[in-house]
Amino acid sequence: MFELKCSRPVAAPPARVFEILADLRGGAKRITAITKLEVLTPGPIGKGTRFRETRVMFGREATEEMEITHFDPPRSYTTEARSHGCHYVCTLRCEPRGSGTELEMGFAAKPMTFGARIMGLLMKPFAKKLMSACSKDLDDIAAAAENRTRAG
């Protein structure tokens, strides 16, 4: 299993940061690595919402279909996907810190097939780049939350 965590402070309250996180329909406008995000289920965003996200990873576009499996506003939500022989889990958390928020992303990939286990070993050298990509996503989310907070 491969796991990583990254976090950063955000100068906005947790409810505002969570609002940005949960606005999947606006995600491609806020997160620079996402080129397209399509919500596949009707209605409000919450547990059971499925979506397809296309983003640039390691210089190439990759598309994954995900589902929100845990939704606890304004604290956290978790998405899961099964693809390329792996089970992926990503949790985003908003923890109060003073008048702001500590935004945390946890990501885990569990290989489910022999081929995925081999690919996991081959991908270990790219862990630092993946951590950098996750940090950039958090920076983009923070910028969106802080901008609206300053603007009123």
Side-chain angles (χ1 to χ4, degrees), residues 75-149:
R75 292 177 195 84
S76 68
Y77 77 81
T78 300
T79 60
E80 296 187 43
R82 292 182 187 275
S83 179
H84 306 293
C86 285
H87 178 212
Y88 301 100
V89 179
C90 180
T91 300
L92 291 153
R93 288 188 177 81
C94 301
E95 296 291 333
R97 293 289 182 268
S99 62
T101 303
E102 185 69 20
L103 176 59
E104 179 185 284
M105 178 188 292
F107 175 81
K110 181 178 181 184
M112 306 302 284
T113 65
F114 178 74
R117 285 185 194 97
I118 297 300
M119 283 305 296
L121 293 173
L122 296 174
M123 293 299 290
K124 282 198 185 231
F126 295 100
K128 190 173 181 178
K129 279 190 173 191
L130 185 56
M131 178 69 92
S132 176
C134 290
S135 293
K136 176 64 175 127
D137 283 359
L138 296 186
D139 290 344
D140 290 346
I141 293 162
E146 291 169 349
N147 185 34
R148 178 123 173 235
T149 300

Side-chain angles (χ1 to χ4, degrees), residues 17-29:
V17 178
F18 190 85
E19 178 186 340
I20 294 293
L21 291 173
D23 179 18
L24 297 180
R25 290 174 179 92
K29 295 176 199 159

